[in-house]
Amino acid sequence: MQVEAHAKLNLTLDVLGRRPDGYHDLRMVMQSIELADLLDLSYTNTGELRVSTNLHFLPNNEKNLAAQAALRWYESAVVQNPGKWDTEDLKRSVNFDGLDVTIEKHIPVCAGLGGGSSDAAAVLRALNLMEDACLSPEAVASIGALVGSDVPYCVIGGTALAEGRGEILTPLPPLPRCWAVLCKPEFSISTPALFAKIDSVRLRCRPDTKGVIAALEAGDLAGVSRRMYNVFEDALPERQRTRVNDIKNTLIQCGALGASMSGTGPTAFGLFDSEDKAREAWERLREFGGEVFLAQTV
Ligand code: C5P
């Protein structure tokens, strides 16, 4: 089975506080875009779970979130919906003969675009279909929460509010279809390190999440775009913050309706209501280096 794993953008990202379990309570408006990895899942008789990608530096063992997703699936799917499984199914799913997952990466890695989480979500969605398990999207998302905080959203996709660790999801009215231009600068950011730093940073500004939701309800793309904000921008080291700001300024100069950073970065993006302006921004940013993408929202 072949499946696509879409990248996500954070239209807003707010950190509400640190929790006793060490994670942080978040409030974020998320949006899927067309930029996607391609996954191919096939049963084998090797007795092994094998993951391979076209990027040599990505793990092909359990450290890969796609492999973790498959393992959590075989542990959880049976438990979640016992009535649906007979003994043969159970034997087949627990002592499976082998599974190969091949991932063609297009989403940049460690970029704040949820690439690894989306691959994991795609594995879960595919296994739900391949095994004819008929778990609801919510049940699949709850298995995803065992793999990573962004995985439940990646199972559902579209436009959604994510709260708690990221696993409490409320679908929102879809963002009016538009073009996103993304630029991932040359450096990468460690998500745990930035989360650790945010506790000691005095946040200058918080996103207007309610305003973004009201704008979505009104179908007001410009209203959403000008309210986009991500508190992690304040936690970036000076040089990296300057680079992200330069990208955002270029996007705005080229006619973006708004610009922000996605996730824990470092990818910055802008939203456009005109394909011509988006293409111009894409060309301008390519002159400055980094990985630059033009994608429609999904
Ligand atoms: O859940 P996930 O493994 O994707 O999270 C990666 C890291 O990000 C965690 O180890 C934690 O440091 C941080 N995190 C957090 N609060 C969240 C989500 C992630 O502190 N809600």
Side-chain angles (χ1 to χ4, degrees):
M1 179 172 285
Q2 290 194 320
V3 273
E4 287 189 341
H6 290 276
K8 59 89 182 158
L9 296 176
N10 285 89
L11 303 183
T12 66
L13 200 171
D14 201 1
V15 180
L16 306 181
R18 201 179 140 89
R19 307 163 19 145
D21 64 4
Y23 280 86
H24 292 76
D25 275 320
L26 308 176
R27 186 180 293 136
M28 4 185 227
V29 176
M30 321 276 267
Q31 174 64 45
S32 308
I33 57 171
E34 273 178 348
L35 177 65
D37 294 340
L38 294 178
L39 284 82
D40 196 303
L41 286 83
S42 48
Y43 290 124
T44 66
N45 54 11
T46 59
E48 286 175 44
L49 167 64
R50 299 187 303 200
V51 175
S52 58
T53 78
N54 55 327
L55 299 181
H56 66 89
F57 55 86
L58 288 182
N60 55 8
N61 54 22
E62 278 180 43
K63 285 193 182 140
N64 192 308
L65 293 187
Q68 280 183 35
L71 291 171
R72 296 295 91 79
W73 169 267
Y74 287 112
E75 284 166 17
S76 315
V78 184
V79 180
Q80 292 239 352
N81 205 356
K84 280 238 21 111
W85 296 76
D86 62 29
T87 321
E88 268 320 294
D89 285 334
L90 193 109
K91 226 170 80 196
R92 182 166 62 85
S93 62
V94 175
N95 302 314
F96 73 113
D97 288 333
L99 180 73
D100 277 1
V101 181
T102 309
I103 309 175
E104 192 180 299
K105 291 295 295 178
H106 296 278
I107 306 172
V109 176
C110 290
L113 298 173
S117 303
S118 193
D119 294 344
V123 166
L124 295 175
R125 283 189 284 108
L127 287 174
N128 194 31
L129 293 172
M130 287 165 76
E131 314 238 319
D132 220 4
C134 303
L135 297 192
S136 66
E138 291 73 22
V140 177
S142 69
I143 302 173
L146 304 171
V147 180
S149 303
D150 277 345
V151 181
Y153 163 72
C154 292
V155 170
I156 311 281
T159 311
L161 178 70
E163 295 174 287
R165 248 181 71 197
E167 83 288 18
I168 304 171
L169 298 168
T170 312
L172 294 172
L175 181 72
R177 209 159 155 83
C178 61
W179 288 265
V181 176
L182 291 66
C183 178
K184 182 198 173 277
E186 304 71 14
F187 52 87
S188 290
I189 304 267
S190 154
T191 296
L194 210 63
F195 265 108
K197 194 167 166 208
I198 197 90
D199 297 326
S200 56
V201 170
R202 245 187 77 223
L203 299 173
R204 284 182 297 134
C205 183
R206 316 294 291 250
D208 173 12
T209 312
K210 269 193 188 156
V212 168
I213 294 172
L216 284 168
E217 279 162 356
D220 174 8
L221 176 62
V224 172
S225 304
R226 69 168 172 269
R227 289 182 177 86
M228 295 193 302
Y229 192 72
N230 179 343
V231 295
F232 279 116
E233 289 181 36
D234 277 345
L236 291 177
E238 185 66 30
R239 268 186 56 200
Q240 301 183 345
R241 189 162 67 220
T242 304
R243 178 81 169 100
V244 167
N245 279 336
D246 286 347
I247 296 169
K248 285 170 53 177
N249 289 336
T250 305
L251 288 161
I252 297 290
Q253 280 162 18
C254 291
L257 300 170
S260 190
M261 187 172 83
S262 188
T264 49
T267 304
F269 68 95
L271 297 183
F272 293 79
D273 58 3
S274 140
E275 185 175 2
D276 287 347
K277 285 182 186 165
R279 201 159 288 283
E280 193 187 313
W282 176 74
E283 275 163 15
R284 268 280 290 285
L285 283 167
R286 272 167 28 120
E287 291 165 18
F288 296 108
E291 292 177 77
V292 189
F293 303 89
L294 171 61
Q296 273 199 287
T297 51
V298 178

